Amino acid sequence: MENRNIYIVRCGEVALKGLNKPYFERMLIERIRKVLKPYKETEVRREDGLIVVRTAPDLPKETVIREISKVFGVDSISPAVETETDMEAIGRAAVAYMQQQIEERGIRTFKVEAKRADKSFPVKSPEIARRIGARILVECKVLKVDVHNPECKLYVHVRKDRSFIYERKVSALGGLPLGTNGKGLVLLSGGIDSPVAAFLMAKRGMYIEAVHFHSYPYTSERAWEKVKDLAQVLTDYCGNIKIHSVNLLPIQEQIVQHCPEEEMTILIRRFMMKIAQRIARETGSLMLITGENLGQVASQTAEALMVTDAAVQMPVMRPLIAMDKTEIIDLARKIGTYDISILPYEDCCTVFLPKHPKTKPKLSAILESESRLNVEELVESALKSVETTEIRPK
Ligand code: ATP
Ligand code: MG
């Protein structure tokens, strides 16, 4: 048997895809290859209905697991041992595996479970488990069987050419492979919510591009660095992310001059959406994505969301809409964006924050206020200020 580490990768929903399954699997394998590319001698292949990864023996298992578990579409990963498909070879490999566990972890109890994927194999699953268990008992004198709470639960997966032995099943993120669901443009602030929203849409297979609005020089260079840092964390899951940055200051100044103060927030949000929609159309994004959440702040009441939505014709995805803040924070921590998000740099929206923002804006009143501005021209000139930066996985 060749001297490489082996991992079995299971896909979750990808397996339900019927006729499209080969396409989803191909995309998944491509993604796994991509995240493992920096490590030499790795090989990712589809074998007999499973995705099998082989790596150099000195590449730490935890590294491989960490990398693969960030790939959307992967349900779980198991470091495994490969053997020939015959009872003698499987038994020998199982004993060697257990001896190693006794040495390294001091285990004393075990249990064997078997699954026969190859139905032409002459021994049935319960009998495979029984015989392998019996051989382990004979050759590893310190071990006892414990069917309820074993320290080591060994799975034997019998397949046509090669069989696998494994113990751990590390769960991954699930979802669908990146790129299987088009591209979306996230409105990425420096806050907690929008990076989580981007993550959730990417998890459903969507490539992510971002637009960030600033009010330079009222907002600082450090606020911009923070947004790039957030995108950097997201690239671990989403691959390359382009950020289009737009200066909103000229628009904010016009609103301050011509419109009621309490409408500032909703008006600026409508401008953001309009500008984002234009960028999305020009760069091939099918939808906008925001971190809005029902009732979280004045601009996110049902009425305000309705008025915001009416600014654009493109679908607006709000994956956090019904989540509690605590759930969003938990997820932000898990992804690794939280600690960056809470750094205290000003956002463009806080620059002209009204004392009493309207919580129940009326579309007719907002349209009336907008009629005092040259909306089209302001959008056009904001688009001229766009600068694009591409962030790549480290
Ligand atoms: P977040 O934590 O994502 O900043 P929030 O709770 O602070 O969200 P708002 O400031 O009302 O809420 O923003 C709602 C959504 O609007 C954000 O989730 C984001 O998608 C978008 N947004 C807000 N500010 C900006 C900005 N400066 N640049 C790009 N998008 C923004
Ligand atoms: Mg915000």
Side-chain angles (χ1 to χ4, degrees), residues 186-195 211-214 269 272 289-292 296-297 299-300 325 347-349:
V186 64
L187 283 77
L188 188 65
S189 68
I192 296 169
D193 303 329
S194 44
V211 55
H212 174 70
F213 299 96
H214 61 86
R269 295 206 54 71
M272 285 186 185
I289 302 165
T290 79
E292 286 163 314
Q296 192 184 85
V297 288
S299 60
Q300 295 174 26
K325 192 75 190 187
D347 181 67
C348 70
C349 297

Side-chain angles (χ1 to χ4, degrees), residues 127-165:
E127 180 64 12
I128 299 170
R130 205 192 54 73
R131 283 209 228 160
I132 301 295
R135 177 159 175 189
I136 291 171
L137 280 175
V138 170
E139 297 193 33
C140 306
K141 291 279 183 259
V142 298
L143 290 182
K144 285 194 171 55
V145 172
D146 180 345
V147 289
H148 300 297
N149 201 10
E151 287 166 292
C152 172
K153 194 172 183 181
L154 197 70
Y155 295 93
V156 177
H157 190 163
V158 176
R159 301 184 324 142
K160 221 175 194 66
D161 305 320
R162 294 263 184 262
S163 293
F164 292 119
I165 291 173

Side-chain angles (χ1 to χ4, degrees), residues 94-110 136-137 139-144 151-152 167:
V95 166
Y97 183 85
M98 293 314 261
Q99 280 165 343
Q100 196 182 351
Q101 302 316 305
I102 294 167
E103 225 166 86
E104 289 174 6
R105 289 156 55 200
I107 62 151
R108 291 293 177 265
T109 59
F110 78 103
I136 291 171
L137 280 175
E139 297 193 33
C140 306
K141 291 279 183 259
V142 298
L143 290 182
K144 285 194 171 55
E151 287 166 292
C152 172
E167 184 183 344

Side-chain angles (χ1 to χ4, degrees), residues 346-361:
E346 67 299 312
D347 181 67
C348 70
C349 297
T350 51
V351 173
F352 293 96
L353 195 65
K355 281 191 208 70
H356 302 288
K358 252 205 154 40
T359 53
K360 297 193 174 175

Side-chain angles (χ1 to χ4, degrees), residues 85-87 90 112-133 156-159:
T85 295
D86 81 43
M87 285 303 282
I90 295 171
V112 180
E113 277 184 18
K115 189 167 96 183
R116 189 180 52 149
D118 172 18
K119 298 296 175 206
S120 69
F121 191 70
V123 189
K124 288 187 177 157
S125 302
E127 180 64 12
I128 299 170
R130 205 192 54 73
R131 283 209 228 160
I132 301 295
V156 177
H157 190 163
V158 176
R159 301 184 324 142

